[in-house]
């Protein structure tokens, strides 16, 4: 629960609501990113723990990004209720090969 994934249903705490009329696209567990890619994260202004969620509403060309930094034991897999069928679920893995490219972006 709480692993990075593309598609499927998000692992949200009760304190976060699935944005109305938005499709879940991606969740990134920032601790997985930090431990997998050893570029200089101090150059980037984002947290090093927690989960970032990305939702989109294609008909209105709108996206919502949510962030949660609480304990993983509070995460629940939210099911699709009144929404269209979710995208297939795919695990997201981070690779060291990104380091030189991202480090270059950071300065």
């Amino acid at each position: 629960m709480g692993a990075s994934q593309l598609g499927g249903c998000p692992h949200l705490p009760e304190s976060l609501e699935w944005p109305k009329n938005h499709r879940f696209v991606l969740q990134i567990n920032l601790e997985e990113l930090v431990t997998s890619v050893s570029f200089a994260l101090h150059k980037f202004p984002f947290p090093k723990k927690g989960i970032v969620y990305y939702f989109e509403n294609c008909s209105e060309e709108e996206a919502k990004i949510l962030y949660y930094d609480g304990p993983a034991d509070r995460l629940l897999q939210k099911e699709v209720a009144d929404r269209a069928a979710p995208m297939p679920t795919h695990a997201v893995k981070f690779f060291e090969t990104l380091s030189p490219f991202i480090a270059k972006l950071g300065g």
Side-chain angles (χ1 to χ4, degrees):
M1 192 65 61
S4 298
Q5 70 178 44
L6 175 67
C9 294
H11 305 153
L12 293 168
E14 287 190 21
S15 61
L16 289 179
E17 292 289 325
W18 186 324
K20 192 171 190 159
N21 300 320
H22 284 68
R23 181 167 98 167
F24 171 69
V25 177
L26 173 73
Q27 72 184 32
I28 296 176
N29 183 316
L30 296 174
E31 289 181 86
E32 293 174 0
L33 177 66
V34 170
T35 58
S36 298
V37 182
S38 64
F39 58 88
L41 286 174
H42 64 277
K43 294 182 180 182
F44 296 91
F46 63 84
K48 293 170 183 54
K49 68 174 195 149
I51 300 174
V52 175
Y53 304 90
Y54 179 81
F55 297 84
E56 69 178 3
N57 181 328
C58 293
S59 64
E60 295 182 20
E61 296 183 2
E62 177 183 79
K64 295 205 183 242
I65 297 174
L66 305 178
Y67 173 69
Y68 173 71
D69 68 348
D73 63 356
R74 297 227 171 118
L75 296 174
L76 304 168
Q77 182 169 339
K78 300 289 182 159
E79 297 299 323
V80 176
D82 59 342
R83 298 167 177 84
M87 299 178 349
T89 304
H90 301 281
V92 173
K93 301 291 180 197
F94 302 99
F95 296 95
E96 186 66 30
T97 56
L98 292 175
S99 294
F101 174 73
I102 294 175
K104 199 175 213 180
L105 289 176

